[in-house]
Amino acid sequence: MNISKFVMPEVIFGRGSLSQIGNSALRIGASKVFVVSDEDVINAGWVDKAKHYLHASGLETVTYAALTTNPKDYEVDEGLLRYLESGCDAIVVVGGGSPTDVAKAIAILATNGGVLRDYEGINKVTRPLPPMVIAPSTAGAGSEVTQFAIIVDSKRQLKMSIISKSLVPDIAIVDPELLRTKDSALAAATGIDAFTHGIETYVSLAATPMTEIHSLKCIELASQYLRKAVNDRSDMDANTNMSMASLTGGLALSNAILGATHAMTHQVDGLLDKHHGESNAAILPHVMEFNLPACPEKFRDIAIAMGEQVRGMTVEEAARQSIVAVNNLLSDIGLHQGLGEIGLPLDAIDRLSHNALNDACLVTNPRPASYEQIAEIFHKAM
């Protein structure tokens, strides 16, 4: 008998669900809440709205938002000092993947001590974390439901992957209304991140029937609605479906991990302070090409989930159609560009390739990859 497990938080989904944030914080035992966000989300008014609901539930709040697109270890350290000084007993996130990763990292250090690098890798968190409620403001990272925290090590200039079931928050509140204030460029970049999660988790060596359901749904929804979400930011049907794509992709990645695309983009993002979705877009088609011989039937499934007509094709022909479909999607949303176009210098490839070999996401890639093969993919993605 095959035995698998599936971890996830309580999920509250739907337009207007941010109104549940105060009650949710109360249910996890909060009395004073440390709210983690970023300046863009604050300026959009969502933090004030969340704090209104928190205050209405009788909770005190302290806000921390001194972080960047690819959050750094020193931003976590500053947040930790603020948290410890604040007297807060719970953490609430209103924001995308960056505030969520920072909040999770703060939570680790608040109860486990040490430095963040101590927890790089899998299952190194040993003590319980402060209770957490996360309300995402983007449709991409899916980190509101995952056991991941990704933080840039500023000295090594790479992204650390911290993976632990302790990082799964208590409650995730997914309100598509929060997407209304994001521009088209951010909708495209975050949406491709979610879409990449769907593809990488579906072909992952750790995939199970439960994760595959979520992976395929993520691919299907992103293929159908990402173009609409980018073209019309007021399309709430598209925003709602992209929120679901992000959620299902997050559930899949939390349980099936990822693959070579993310092992490589973590290195690029540690060097270049670009949005994670941009580096995903540059690398994903080339990793798909590399992985295709290992699981062509699964790439055929991906093509079908993307709405491609593959009847009459061989398995390999149908599998290759998935790469064509991905390139078409990237082109349609304005993300069909190489790593060189987003600023990666050629002379960085050697170091990034060596670093990628040590990334936890490479372990579940469906095809083993050597240093030389990773470097070749980097060169193709330029």
Side-chain angles (χ1 to χ4, degrees), residues 223-303:
S223 299
Q224 186 174 351
Y225 291 101
L226 181 52
R227 292 175 178 89
K228 296 177 182 179
V230 171
N231 291 334
D232 182 1
R233 296 302 305 122
S234 64
D235 186 336
M236 283 309 300
D237 182 51
N239 286 336
T240 299
N241 279 284
M242 283 307 302
S243 287
M244 183 59 75
S246 178
L247 174 62
T248 54
L251 290 170
L253 83 87
S254 186
N255 291 278
I257 319 300
L258 292 160
T261 302
H262 275 78
M264 295 170 69
T265 57
H266 288 161
Q267 318 317 315
V268 176
D269 299 342
L271 183 63
L272 306 177
D273 210 12
K274 298 288 186 177
H275 194 282
H276 179 55
E278 293 181 82
S279 50
N280 274 335
I283 292 174
L284 175 62
H286 304 285
V287 170
M288 290 176 69
E289 182 80 33
F290 174 77
N291 284 335
L292 192 148
C295 48
E297 293 85 1
K298 283 204 161 185
F299 281 102
R300 176 193 57 194
D301 294 344
I302 290 170

Side-chain angles (χ1 to χ4, degrees), residues 27 112-113 122 163 232 240 249 273 290 304 309 365:
R27 288 195 288 115
N112 286 262
I122 301 174
I163 307 169
D232 182 1
T240 299
D273 210 12
F290 174 77
I304 294 170
Q309 299 302 314
N365 194 67

Side-chain angles (χ1 to χ4, degrees), residues 140-161:
S143 47
E144 69 276 6
V145 295
T146 74
Q147 51 183 320
F148 275 73
I150 310 295
I151 301 291
V152 173
D153 183 318
S154 55
K155 291 183 179 178
R156 292 184 292 163
Q157 291 187 309
L158 55 80
K159 278 188 170 181
M160 295 181 284
S161 295

Side-chain angles (χ1 to χ4, degrees), residues 8-28 53-54 57 92-93 132-138 144-145 168-178 240 243-244 246-248 251:
M8 64 178 291
E10 176 184 332
V11 177
I12 303 173
F13 184 96
R15 296 179 64 179
S17 58
L18 186 65
S19 62
Q20 302 299 305
I21 201 165
N23 179 259
S24 295
L26 279 178
R27 288 195 288 115
I28 62 172
Y53 295 127
L54 291 165
S57 295
V92 166
V93 179
M132 284 187 283
V133 177
I134 299 177
S137 63
T138 60
E144 69 276 6
V145 295
V168 178
D170 297 272
I171 302 174
I173 299 175
V174 184
D175 186 345
E177 289 287 344
L178 274 64
T240 299
S243 287
M244 183 59 75
S246 178
L247 174 62
T248 54
L251 290 170

Side-chain angles (χ1 to χ4, degrees), residues 67-365:
L67 52 95
T68 50
T69 299
N70 292 294
K72 319 296 188 296
D73 45 12
Y74 54 81
E75 295 167 352
V76 172
D77 292 340
E78 176 62 27
L80 174 65
L81 290 175
R82 290 284 305 280
Y83 177 80
L84 295 175
E85 293 169 356
S86 70
C88 290
D89 52 14
I91 297 175
V92 166
V93 179
V94 183
S98 298
T100 299
D101 285 344
V102 167
K104 290 179 178 182
I106 290 170
I108 291 170
L109 296 179
T111 56
N112 286 262
V115 296
L116 204 54
R117 192 170 175 179
D118 295 338
Y119 304 98
E120 185 177 8
I122 301 174
N123 293 333
K124 295 183 179 179
V125 180
T126 58
R127 296 177 183 172
L129 307 188
M132 284 187 283
V133 177
I134 299 177
S137 63
T138 60
S143 47
E144 69 276 6
V145 295
T146 74
Q147 51 183 320
F148 275 73
I150 310 295
I151 301 291
V152 173
D153 183 318
S154 55
K155 291 183 179 178
R156 292 184 292 163
Q157 291 187 309
L158 55 80
K159 278 188 170 181
M160 295 181 284
S161 295
I162 301 169
I163 307 169
S164 169
K165 287 185 287 294
S166 300
L167 295 177
V168 178
D170 297 272
I171 302 174
I173 299 175
V174 184
D175 186 345
E177 289 287 344
L178 274 64
L179 304 188
R180 289 191 292 108
T181 51
K182 300 303 176 188
D183 62 26
S184 292
L186 186 57
T190 53
I192 281 298
D193 190 20
F195 177 71
T196 304
H197 295 160
I199 290 181
E200 290 222 287
T201 54
Y202 189 63
V203 301
S204 166
L205 292 177
T208 68
M210 288 188 71
T211 66
E212 289 172 348
I213 291 169
H214 292 286
S215 300
L216 288 175
K217 193 62 179 177
C218 171
I219 294 166
E220 175 191 330
L221 290 173
S223 299
Q224 186 174 351
Y225 291 101
L226 181 52
R227 292 175 178 89
K228 296 177 182 179
V230 171
N231 291 334
D232 182 1
R233 296 302 305 122
S234 64
D235 186 336
M236 283 309 300
D237 182 51
N239 286 336
T240 299
N241 279 284
M242 283 307 302
S243 287
M244 183 59 75
S246 178
L247 174 62
T248 54
L251 290 170
L253 83 87
S254 186
N255 291 278
I257 319 300
L258 292 160
T261 302
H262 275 78
M264 295 170 69
T265 57
H266 288 161
Q267 318 317 315
V268 176
D269 299 342
L271 183 63
L272 306 177
D273 210 12
K274 298 288 186 177
H275 194 282
H276 179 55
E278 293 181 82
S279 50
N280 274 335
I283 292 174
L284 175 62
H286 304 285
V287 170
M288 290 176 69
E289 182 80 33
F290 174 77
N291 284 335
L292 192 148
C295 48
E297 293 85 1
K298 283 204 161 185
F299 281 102
R300 176 193 57 194
D301 294 344
I302 290 170
I304 294 170
M306 293 188 71
E308 294 297 301
Q309 299 302 314
V310 299
R311 183 174 297 177
M313 293 183 181
T314 66
V315 171
E316 184 173 347
E317 288 170 342
R320 292 197 171 278
Q321 195 60 32
S322 69
I323 302 173
V324 173
V326 168
N327 280 318
N328 288 339
L329 175 60
L330 295 173
S331 181
D332 289 346
I333 63 172
L335 283 180
H336 202 270
Q337 55 188 351
L339 292 173
E341 293 175 83
I342 64 173
L344 185 71
L346 271 173
D347 60 9
I349 289 178
D350 175 67
R351 177 163 63 92
L352 299 190
S353 300
H354 280 293
N355 289 344
L357 290 173
N358 298 316
D359 192 286
C361 290
L362 196 62
V363 175
T364 47
N365 194 67

